[in-house]
Amino acid sequence: MYAEVIVDIAVSEVDRIFDYDTGGLDITRGVRVTVPFGRMTVEGFVIGLKQETDVPADKIRSVISVLDCRRIITEEMFSLMDYMSAKMHLMKVDILRLFIPAAMRGGRVKELKRQYASLSEEYRDRDPGEFIKPSALAQHELFEYLLTEKPEGEFVSELTKVFSASALRNLASRGIVVVRDAEQTRLPYADVRPEKTPEIILTDEQKYAIESISSASGKVFLLHGVTGSGKTEVYMNCIERTLACGKTAIMLVPEISLTPQVLRSFRNRFGSSVAILHSALGQGEKFDEWRKCLSGEARVALGARSAVFAPLENIGIIIIDEEHDSSYISDRTPRYSTSNVAKWRIKYNNANLILGSATPSVETYHAAKEGTYELIELTGRINKRPLPEVEIVNMCKEIASGNNSIFSSALLRELDKVVECGNQAMLFLNRRGYASFMMCRSCGYVAKCERCDVSLVYHREENRLKCHYCGNMYTVPSVCPQCGFPVMKEGYIGTEKVVRLLEELYPGVGVLRMDNDSTRTKGAHAEILGRFGAKEAQILVGTQMIAKGHDFPDVTLVGILDADMSLHMADYRSVERTFQLTTQVAGRAGRAAQSGKVVLQTYAPHHYVYGYVKNGDYKGFYEKEINLREVTKYPPFATIVRVLVSGSDDTKAAGVLKNIYAGITEIKEAYPDKFIYLAYMRAPVKKIMDEYRMQILARLSVGSDEIVDKIYETVEKYRVPKITSYAEINPIKLS
Ligand code: ADP
Ligand code: ZN
């Protein structure tokens, strides 16, 4: 017998299938093995078995060992691998790696084995006086405990915390207690315990949504409803119905939305059949949760992007909440779109997909309007809670009237009120650090990273200049390195400085900060939210991390300090992003009984996007935006392809770029009507980590799948060592 093996080395030259002699080992398709490869021993995935091989007998080598006692890659996942490698042009080994927890590779995690003790059936119903001496009190106590409290048994380690170990040994040696090995799984977030929740009477809109979805199969739904309109309740009911039919479910949320609140509501509803797949789990926990899916013990997988690969079988429903969130697109190798994978899986299983959002991406809403997806709307908030009032503040006027601070007078007025009434406020600024750059007042010199083409950000806590691309740190120059002038000016304010300014303005009210810097350690994120929830602080300052899914009943004010930040990016999605982000942040105000207020500060108060934000008018925004996209030919009326080439050798990278460009130009000549635009240039960020970056941008008319494939092939054709090159379709970032 021969095993077809994909070796676990990610180099494009070896993304092939190698044949090995099974050497009489018991091997099935879908297990991992170790095999000799060159002079190394490597892990590999067995993707097939066969009787014959083309490899000559003196060349064939044998499998060394089998790593898994059962198949870890299911048939469905093998088909998914074929699809992803054909359509997304990924290497098979990279795809297989997505399917298993990282720590399984290299054998870093194992199943946890522990000893488990229970009363033997034979002795259970007998009078212990017959076989335990009256003087052996410890043995009597232990027997009694196992009989009445733990009829199913208990871990030995738990028992010996309370009872004498020698008593246990004695009973075990006489067969009265049976001790055996049990697999124990680590339960993540064990402190998140279910609690009683009030009975919910579904609204008519919710009922309609649940009925429509549950009675369909193989369909994609867009569930559109403002935050607080009861979407989560719809998801959970649909999952319940799916489970009742004997099928399984996957629920995806953006990484930073997977809060204890979400976990609790799922545990309440689905108990131990929920597996949580989250990057914040320990390696062992991740492995256990994943294995619970594979074994069928878990029937609901709840997690961020990568949970779309949960090894559940017989999937009945997949839900992608906040479908517009950019974290659903993987922009690192292997690049994939979560919704494309989800769509493939629902097709395979004849299941349904729900895309849910308060602010769907323009492309998704368009597809729903066109009838590709079925649109279901939840029109109001539960309990008719009004959306918060949004006040648009013109920051140009503030400056004209002599207020140069980052807080407008309107915002200060509202903050005063919050502090006085003992309420809470959230202030949003999507820029971390203290000041965005340091500039010389005399010559205009701006401190830049030596390895990247970006300016450095001043971080006061560490008193260092940091590069946000590569993480490099630099000491702060006391005089300008270029002209020697002694005064350096600070650029735009970041979250760190906002906190300090607030502490000066409102001494003693407590100000917390949540951004990438303050949440670096495990559990820091939950801790900050916990402290804010416990009202240890009245103000929370944060980046887009605070925009998601947190329900704080006492938050009556949301301040958006610089709403325009995402507006002026050279990206066709910038207006859409601004609408989504500001709407989402605004939704944090007035979630409970008290009404909420939003102060939105902008230098472009008349930009149309803010009118729609103020009125919570998604449809108005959509109509305006879709018209623009149609006229200017941007997605969904075109497909954008970007080819990025980078390398430390600028000339060599440029050579590769030119080759690819020439190849694409040939395609363009053969299909002129498919190309709206084609050009090459340096990337907006010209250098990252000492690698020079350049790009080709193409805009294709709709229905150009064939052209996209040809572009992928061209990129592959001109791939050379040491130069990175890849194609992205409708990329989320164009930096
Ligand atoms: P969304 O996911 O759209 O933001 P949720 O489903 O989280 O909204 O609902 C918001 C709040 O309203 C939650 O606290 C939820 O428990 C509650 N809720 C949802 N549906 C109902 C209902 N039919 N009756 C009463 N409360 C509801
Ligand atoms: Zn750098």
Side-chain angles (χ1 to χ4, degrees), residues 563-579:
D564 314 333
M565 272 196 68
S566 48
L567 194 57
H568 302 310
M569 290 196 288
D571 184 331
Y572 72 94
R573 286 199 184 100
S574 60
V575 176
E576 177 180 350
R577 291 253 170 77
T578 305
F579 181 84

Side-chain angles (χ1 to χ4, degrees), residues 228 368 699:
R699 223 163 348 121

